Amino acid sequence: MNPSRRSWEMARGVRISVAYGGKAAGFFALVLLCGVAWAGAGGRSTMPVRVWEDSMTIPTSEEGLPDPNPPFDFFNAGRFLNYPYTLRHNLVDRRIPRKWRTLNLENEYLKCTVLPDLGGHLYTCIDKINGASMFYANPSIKFARIAYRGMWAALGVEFNFPVSHNWMTVSPVDFATSREPDGGASLWVGNIDRAYGMQWRVQLTLRPGRAYLEQKTTLYNRSDTRHRFYWWTNAGVQVWDDSRILYPMEFTAAHGFADIDTWPVNSAGVDQSIVGNQKYGPVSRFSYGSREPYMAVYHPRTDSGIVHYSSPLDLPAKKIWSWSSDEDGLDWRTALSDNNSAYVEIQAGLFRDQETYGFLDPQETRSFTEYWIPIRKLGGVSRANPDAVINLGRHTQSGEMVAIEAALNVTRELPSALVAVLNGTQEVASVRASLSPRETFRKAFSGLPASATYTIEIRDQAGKVTLRHTEGRYDFVSRDKVQTGKQPSHEYPAAANRGADDFLAVGTGQESNGELLVALKTYQQGLARFPNSIALNQVAGRLEVILNQYDLAVQHLLRALAWVNSDHETAYYLGVALAAQGDVQGARTQWEFAQQSASYHAPAMMMLAALEARAGDRLSALRMIREVVSNRPDLIRPAGIEVALLRAVEPKAEASKRLAFWKQQDPTSSFLRYEGIRLGQSDPSLMAHLAGDPERILEIASDYMRFGLYEDALDILSRQYPSGIEVIAEPGALPPGSYPLIAYYRGFCRYALGKDGGADFAAASGMPTNYVFPNRPESFAVLHRAIEVNPKDATAHFLLGSLYLSGGMSEPALQEWETTRRIKPAILTLHRNMAYTMLKSGESPERAIELFREGVQYDSRNVDLYLGLEEAMEKAGRPASERARALKEFPELQSAPAVLVFRLVRLLSDAGDFDEAERQLANRFFPREEGGANVRELYIALKLKRAQSIAAQGQCPSALDIVRHLGEPVRGLSFTSKGLDPFMSSAASQQAVEEIHVICR
């Protein structure tokens, strides 16, 4: 790929070039050229690292529109909690060439590419010395249903926060490029999630003369309330059967810490470190009992590999994942690639496993650093750090003598380095050599006594040790302290036998899993039995604030503070709840107390500053915000407010100065970029970036509104945004001009400024509600104001109902939707939402059946109406045959989604209509779904059920014939060509076969 002239200009002269383009600034070009001259004079490098934007064409799965139904947590009992995002399940079995934007970095040793429109994946990083990619540069972007929202692709490095395979893993994210003072350059990617309002940000840096990629990550809870999180860096690495997983560990743990096993040879006698041995189902293990900071994969096939390094103070946890090469694993290779390539995932995280979550408090941050190092011609890895990677071997010679052989890669030039072998503290052999990343150093130190244990040191010219390793010595937990096998698990008493602490622990675990509504129910059950529990009142009140249930929150938090009036956290959340009720003075009192705490100082001061700003005292607000950020350059949200308030009360020069500082901390921030526009700077690409997701606009507007900066909010809400190919958005995203919440917020701001916002409200009322899933607390005031102006605004009522249900408030949600139904019953998803809410609330299934059927009149292709109808009919005791007929009413049944087809096949099977059930499986594409239903499993169960049925009717020859031919391919059922064996050999299938044989003896 040849960089364009614009790319060359970026490589020469941009200090910070933000998302979607941007031209070099003359001043920064001058600074950079001066830097180049300095670097050359110092002898370190004659050119800075190149950075540029470009594009590449990759065959990519086609994708249909997302599910129009809001995935309310209230309806969802599974592990994927997605509201307010759409579900992306509409996969098409066809690839087309698609042009993807790329961000590129290149120095002497590495050339790296990021795909900002695929979740910011680090797609590839090529070792220029041997041409190998460190990461899995899948030549096709082939989607499968694996991620939270569905679509996921296997490629490169994925950044997982606050959940695994997160909501934006294949969606456009914020990005930027920047230059570093040492002549290096960085790519930045990040995102503010809509579910929690938290931000992740990754800075990927290449430095002159360094043969590694540096990754710095910042996690930031910029919201007002605490939220769960974890972080896992997930790097796909292409492998072959002889590839080796080189983790310095002796034990591994299973998910949920269910068991501990040995490594590399497990308790079954399989050396799992060799990829070709992984033939017994997926390998998904976490390092246990090791503090070693590196992990590696090495490929004898190419005599190269990759090392990941991160201090245990940064990312202490490691995981290895492989689909394996059993029949199902080979099927996943087909599902995720067009060339049947294999990969493993090497993962680094904050917590011991992926069932463990922590919580980030408001305005809390976490930062850590990782390194990716290419290696070649080493044969393995014994020790690694960002300076060097060594493989140390011992070879027996004559008598009792050995040779110690060192194979070494370094990541920077080390002229006249010393490679020394020590026996204890005594140097027994050494050699001086100029070490270079371009060449592998190899040296055998012969004639050493075999009885000793040797240490090898690499020292630079000044004598500083850059790497030190002693044979066989690693920072492992003592073996006698590890009990392998199944691990004890804690089970809580049944609800009737729980104490207050049990309810607290169970609810906290549910919050950790993201099940906020379930957790709240647990806390409320505990309070029903222990109403005076301080802890239960605290946690229930805090969670009610998070769910916007402010009236209940005030009750519980007041009760907790009445007993423990020194709790700053409880006071902070009480302030949030009181402010939402309109009690400004009460909120101020609580926040003034809460800010005394180090943990809640920043969020409480932000709240107090917002009160001052809305009251018109912007100078006081500015002083408070400056006090918050004075020692916290990691707090980007108040940083943006500092710039906005400076612009409002002082000469623009000071605001511009602070803006430049803050953009160095986070060049991806859309708020900061917009502040640049308000200060007169040019940033034409920002408008296209904002147009790609209207919620980005609302995020900025909400911050302005909170501080009474309604003129600024109105400005961003009133702009004409671009459309066309320059706007990159995920499927289903509405343009800002058609997004009703943009218009509602605009009207609200006009009224706040003493103007008439009626025309904006009227415009919003006529806009589509498809894919509009409100969840911001600010939307309550906005939508209530719209309804106050026009009580017959069906769109406002509908969206307000969704906002209520997003916090689990089913009764007010149903009231708003019933009003909507009287005014405008044709709003899509209205009846689905109402009927499911009734069904999940335990109301009469007959009423839900009526609503589902009524909804079909307005929204006949909404699959949830048919699935919900069948579920309600089942609860009402209707027979399988009648429920199957209800599903068959779906129009264009041949193109129905798999979830409906699978349910229909099961019902037809239950009704004994086996021929029709099998016909429903013919000539269809069924995408793979990790952990979901598999069409092969369904097919085997269907065939065996038919065999059981006819055997019971005395037709044993036919039944046994089905069993004999069970695994044979069937015309029209393409999925039967392979992959049936695991399901034929399952316990359920074997039991069914045994029952057939018993009947037919």
Side-chain angles (χ1 to χ4, degrees), residues 439-457:
E439 297 179 355
T440 299
F441 171 86
R442 187 178 299 275
K443 172 68 176 176
F445 298 92
S446 303
L448 301 175
S451 59
T453 298
Y454 294 101
T455 297
I456 194 159
E457 284 186 350

Side-chain angles (χ1 to χ4, degrees), residues 137-185:
N138 195 337
S140 298
I141 307 300
K142 197 170 182 182
F143 293 136
R145 285 183 57 181
I146 291 176
Y148 252 60
R149 298 169 63 193
M151 295 301 174
W152 186 84
L155 70 152
V157 182
E158 176 189 33
F159 307 117
N160 292 282
F161 173 84
V163 294
S164 64
H165 304 316
N166 71 74
W167 300 295
M168 300 292 285
T169 186
V170 289
S171 297
V173 298
D174 300 328
F175 67 89
T177 64
S178 70
R179 285 210 168 274
E180 306 306 314
D182 64 355

Side-chain angles (χ1 to χ4, degrees), residues 225 541-542 544-546 548-559 561 569-594 607-608 611 614:
T225 57
R542 180 181 60 203
E544 285 156 350
V545 170
I546 294 169
N548 305 320
Q549 298 185 22
Y550 301 114
D551 293 345
L552 288 173
V554 168
Q555 297 176 29
H556 290 130
L557 295 171
L558 280 174
R559 191 175 302 160
L561 276 178
E569 180 187 21
T570 301
Y572 170 79
Y573 281 100
L574 178 57
V576 176
L578 291 172
Q581 290 183 327
D583 184 356
V584 173
Q585 189 55 46
R588 184 191 303 275
T589 299
Q590 298 302 325
W591 289 330
E592 286 175 343
F593 173 69
M607 292 295 193
L608 290 167
L611 291 183
R614 288 199 302 272

Side-chain angles (χ1 to χ4, degrees), residues 523-823:
Y523 296 147
Q524 290 170 342
Q525 289 173 343
L527 284 169
R529 293 183 53 197
F530 305 99
N532 294 328
S533 167
I534 299 172
L536 284 174
N537 276 283
Q538 289 171 329
V539 297
R542 180 181 60 203
L543 183 51
E544 285 156 350
V545 170
I546 294 169
L547 293 169
N548 305 320
Q549 298 185 22
Y550 301 114
D551 293 345
L552 288 173
V554 168
Q555 297 176 29
H556 290 130
L557 295 171
L558 280 174
R559 191 175 302 160
L561 276 178
W563 292 312
V564 182
N565 59 16
S566 60
D567 187 336
H568 297 93
E569 180 187 21
T570 301
Y572 170 79
Y573 281 100
L574 178 57
V576 176
L578 291 172
Q581 290 183 327
D583 184 356
V584 173
Q585 189 55 46
R588 184 191 303 275
T589 299
Q590 298 302 325
W591 289 330
E592 286 175 343
F593 173 69
Q595 64 84 30
Q596 299 173 11
S597 160
S599 298
Y600 282 87
H601 177 76
M605 287 294 285
M606 284 185 65
M607 292 295 193
L608 290 167
L611 291 183
E612 296 297 332
R614 288 199 302 272
D617 191 349
R618 292 176 176 176
L619 278 174
S620 293
L622 176 60
R623 284 194 294 270
M624 289 180 172
I625 289 294
R626 291 198 124 175
E627 195 274 332
V628 169
V629 300
S630 60
N631 296 310
R632 293 288 303 275
D634 53 329
L635 299 185
I636 299 302
R637 192 179 189 188
I641 297 301
E642 180 198 21
V643 175
L645 290 173
L646 276 169
R647 176 174 51 79
V649 302
E650 293 189 9
K652 288 186 177 181
E654 180 62 20
S656 296
K657 178 181 175 182
R658 292 299 288 168
L659 176 63
F661 171 79
W662 289 118
K663 287 177 76 172
Q664 289 180 350
Q665 314 307 311
D666 182 7
T668 71
S669 168
S670 292
F671 189 98
L672 292 173
R673 293 178 64 189
Y674 194 74
E675 272 300 304
I677 289 178
R678 297 295 279 165
L679 285 164
Q681 300 174 8
S682 176
D683 191 352
S685 61
L686 175 61
M687 295 299 107
H689 182 59
L690 296 178
D693 184 353
E695 289 292 332
R696 293 177 182 142
I697 299 170
L698 290 181
E699 185 74 27
I700 297 171
S702 295
D703 276 350
Y704 283 136
M705 292 162 63
R706 167 172 295 201
F707 283 81
L709 300 171
Y710 293 106
E711 301 93 339
D712 298 301
L714 186 58
D715 181 81
I716 195 169
L717 293 165
S718 302
R719 288 184 175 262
Q720 295 298 310
Y721 289 91
S723 60
I725 60 172
E726 65 178 311
V727 176
I728 308 299
E730 65 175 43
L734 293 175
S738 301
Y739 200 69
L741 287 173
I742 294 283
Y744 280 126
Y745 272 64
R746 189 168 63 237
F748 182 86
C749 288
R750 289 196 203 279
Y751 280 115
L753 291 167
K755 302 176 182 178
D756 185 0
D760 298 297
F761 285 167
S765 182
M767 291 179 184
T769 57
N770 304 25
Y771 308 121
V772 182
F773 303 158
N775 77 317
R776 298 178 187 277
E778 296 88 350
S779 295
F780 280 107
V782 170
L783 293 172
H784 277 298
R785 184 72 171 107
I787 291 169
E788 180 184 328
V789 170
N790 178 12
K792 293 187 177 181
D793 185 342
T795 300
H797 282 291
F798 175 73
L799 295 177
L800 183 57
S802 297
L803 186 59
Y804 276 122
L805 198 64
S806 72
M809 294 171 276
S810 58
E811 289 187 13
L814 284 171
Q815 290 171 6
E816 295 298 330
W817 286 334
E818 186 58 48
T819 301
T820 306
R821 181 166 166 260
R822 289 195 300 269
I823 301 170

Side-chain angles (χ1 to χ4, degrees), residues 886-943:
L887 292 183
K888 290 180 74 174
E889 291 175 4
F890 183 79
E892 302 177 10
L893 189 58
Q894 185 56 38
S895 60
V899 62
L900 187 144
V901 175
F902 287 174
R903 187 62 186 148
L904 176 58
V905 167
R906 291 188 180 99
L907 289 172
L908 290 169
S909 177
D910 290 343
D913 194 348
F914 300 109
D915 289 337
E916 177 63 15
E918 194 164 324
R919 278 195 294 272
Q920 291 297 333
L921 295 175
N923 301 311
R924 294 182 186 269
F925 166 62
F926 296 105
R928 284 302 308 263
E929 179 183 2
E930 186 182 25
N934 188 304
V935 65
R936 297 178 177 90
E937 181 178 18
L938 179 65
Y939 169 76
I940 294 297
L942 171 64
K943 298 292 282 187

